[in-house]
Amino acid sequence: MTQITIGIDIGGTNTVMGFVDREGNCLAEISVPTREHAEIDPYIQNISRLLKAELAAHADWQLMGIGIGAPNANYHRGTIEEAPNLAWKGTVHFCDKLAEFFPNIAIAITNDANAAAIGEMIYGAAKDLRDFVVITLGTGLGSGIVVDGNLVYGHDGFAGEVGHTTVFLDGRQCGCGKRGCLETYASATGMVRTMTEILCNSQKPSDLRAIPNNKLTSLDIETALKKGDELAQECFDYTGKILGLKLADVVAHTSPSHIFIFGGVAKAGDVLLNPVRRYMEEYLLPIFKNKITIQQSGLQNVNAAVLGASALAWKELEK
């Protein structure tokens, strides 16, 4: 029998479910639209039916546990709470509902950035590390913080919201309702906002001027930078400065040995990471200087969200 866990990545658009062995091999994968399920109960029923059908087709698999990564997930309560990009409002007791279909199976849930940190710990570049931080750079900015080998959840299950720490008082409006949050500057959408401001405030030539503001992407900015676009370089440098500044604060709180950058924006590589490294070192308290490694995640080219969720289940089984 092959022991497996199921990793479920719940996104605002799609839900991806993978069947993963102990070595991190995804043996099968299923995807369903999240948005088509306005109510939570039919959604749970549908994904449970699909999961059971896949398990029934593989008699040699032994299901050990289920891990879920979702926005606004609370590990302590097994809930999804007030997730802005999901149709199910209020507090959803997700683990309890799923357990009705999978009794006597270990089930755990956490937010997607925490799942990425656990995935990094079990399958990625943090296998031998005890103190590290994972920063996920996508539409927003998420973070998972590991101290002494344990993910930091805090007393209420929501610790680690680095993306919603303040960079500038009364700064850019954030989707969370606050202003000046880090993710409004250091994320794919934050970079587009920065690039738009740079283009408006400069007369220098740039190929990016030919792209309408509502069509501009962070990948467009990266492509322009690699072609020598001076204003795109300015955008990456500014983004690196803001992120480096806030990572220096993170280091002061938890003193990690490594910081892993994950997500679509991170795929830019050193054109982003070099300014982040430079500015973080500039803003660090002297006792921390030249001690922290910043690098890309070791899970860049796999379905890291599913692996991270499955790793959460393996982690629970260890307990």
Side-chain angles (χ1 to χ4, degrees), residues 14 16 32 36 66 69 75 86 108 111 124 150 178 190 199 214 259 265 273 291 296 313 317:
N14 292 304
V16 182
V32 297
E36 288 185 3
I66 301 174
Y75 170 79
L86 299 179
N111 73 41
N150 295 301
K178 293 172 55 187
L199 290 169
N214 63 345
I259 298 174
V265 177
L273 297 188
K291 291 181 178 179
Q296 284 182 301
L317 291 167

Side-chain angles (χ1 to χ4, degrees), residues 191-212:
M191 289 186 68
V192 169
R193 292 169 82 166
T194 297
M195 193 70 243
T196 301
E197 292 174 5
I198 290 172
L199 290 169
C200 288
N201 294 325
S202 173
Q203 298 298 320
K204 292 180 180 178
S206 172
D207 290 343
L208 296 172
R209 296 189 186 278
I211 304 175

Side-chain angles (χ1 to χ4, degrees), residues 82 84-85 139-140 163-164 172-181 183-184 189 193:
E82 304 291 348
N85 296 323
T139 304
H164 295 286
R172 295 173 180 173
Q173 182 66 56
C174 183
C176 74
K178 293 172 55 187
R179 284 188 172 274
C181 290
E183 77 167 35
T184 67
T189 50
R193 292 169 82 166

Side-chain angles (χ1 to χ4, degrees), residues 169-294:
L169 294 175
D170 302 318
R172 295 173 180 173
Q173 182 66 56
C174 183
C176 74
K178 293 172 55 187
R179 284 188 172 274
C181 290
L182 174 60
E183 77 167 35
T184 67
Y185 297 89
S187 64
T189 50
M191 289 186 68
V192 169
R193 292 169 82 166
T194 297
M195 193 70 243
T196 301
E197 292 174 5
I198 290 172
L199 290 169
C200 288
N201 294 325
S202 173
Q203 298 298 320
K204 292 180 180 178
S206 172
D207 290 343
L208 296 172
R209 296 189 186 278
I211 304 175
N213 288 347
N214 63 345
K215 300 292 185 182
L216 184 64
T217 68
S218 59
L219 182 57
D220 292 328
I221 304 169
E222 178 189 341
T223 300
L225 169 62
K226 291 178 178 177
K227 291 180 179 178
D229 190 297
E230 188 176 339
L231 295 186
Q233 173 65 57
E234 186 177 334
C235 178
F236 267 87
D237 187 75
Y238 182 78
T239 302
K241 182 176 184 177
I242 297 297
L243 184 54
L245 167 68
K246 297 306 289 185
L247 290 183
D249 290 345
V250 171
V251 170
H253 290 302
T254 68
S255 187
S257 65
H258 290 67
I259 298 174
F260 298 98
I261 311 295
F262 171 78
V265 177
K267 290 180 180 178
D270 284 341
V271 294
L272 173 67
L273 297 188
N274 281 341
V276 172
R277 293 175 181 121
R278 184 173 70 253
Y279 285 113
M280 186 190 76
E281 288 294 331
E282 179 180 332
Y283 293 119
L284 279 174
L285 191 66
I287 57 173
F288 295 117
K289 287 183 180 293
N290 301 310
K291 291 181 178 179
I292 299 99
T293 299
I294 296 179

